[in-house]
């Protein structure tokens, strides 16, 4: 499988895409993008209540994350120093 450059912005590669044209990421791909260990994303998914970005479980072993959902999740957690919370 050829290596593809991952980004949280739409791409034109052959990755599965959402209706809006955004790519979908596996746990391992998203972990690389966020500079996390994949086990962190797995732990967030199994926490009650669930934590981390929204995900789609296609099967017991296949989980995908929409780039659009990840961008929104990150934006919701953005902190600007000096601004009221």
């Amino acid at each position: 499988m050829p290596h593809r450059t991952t980004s949280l912005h739409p791409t034109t590669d052959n990755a599965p895409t959402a209706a809006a044209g955004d790519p979908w990421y596996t746990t391992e791909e998203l972990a690389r993008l966020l500079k996390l260990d994949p086990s962190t994303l797995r732990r967030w998914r199994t926490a009650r209540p669930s934590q981390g970005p929204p995900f789609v479980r296609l099967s017991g072993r296949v989980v995908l994350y929409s780039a659009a959902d990840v961008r929104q999740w990150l934006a919701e957690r953005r902190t600007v120093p000096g601004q009221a919370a």
Side-chain angles (χ1 to χ4, degrees), residues 16-83:
T17 56
D22 271 347
W24 290 81
Y25 299 109
T26 65
T27 299
E28 290 73 21
E29 289 170 331
L30 184 59
R32 258 193 315 274
L33 283 170
L34 298 177
K35 297 179 179 21
L36 298 171
D37 192 275
S39 66
T40 300
L41 289 169
R42 290 185 195 101
R43 189 174 60 251
W44 287 349
R45 282 196 313 262
T46 59
R48 294 293 174 249
S50 193
Q51 301 172 8
F55 60 91
V56 176
R57 185 177 301 279
L58 297 179
S59 72
R61 297 176 70 100
V62 179
V63 175
L64 295 177
Y65 295 87
S66 161
D69 285 344
V70 173
R71 278 194 307 272
Q72 180 178 347
W73 178 78
L74 288 170
E76 290 168 356
R77 279 145 189 80
R78 184 171 185 253
T79 300
V80 178
Q83 288 188 354

Side-chain angles (χ1 to χ4, degrees), residues 1-6 9-18 21-26 29 64:
M1 180 176 196
H3 176 73
R4 69 185 160 103
T5 303
T6 54
H9 300 287
T11 65
T12 56
D13 65 9
N14 60 358
T17 56
D22 271 347
W24 290 81
Y25 299 109
T26 65
E29 289 170 331
L64 295 177

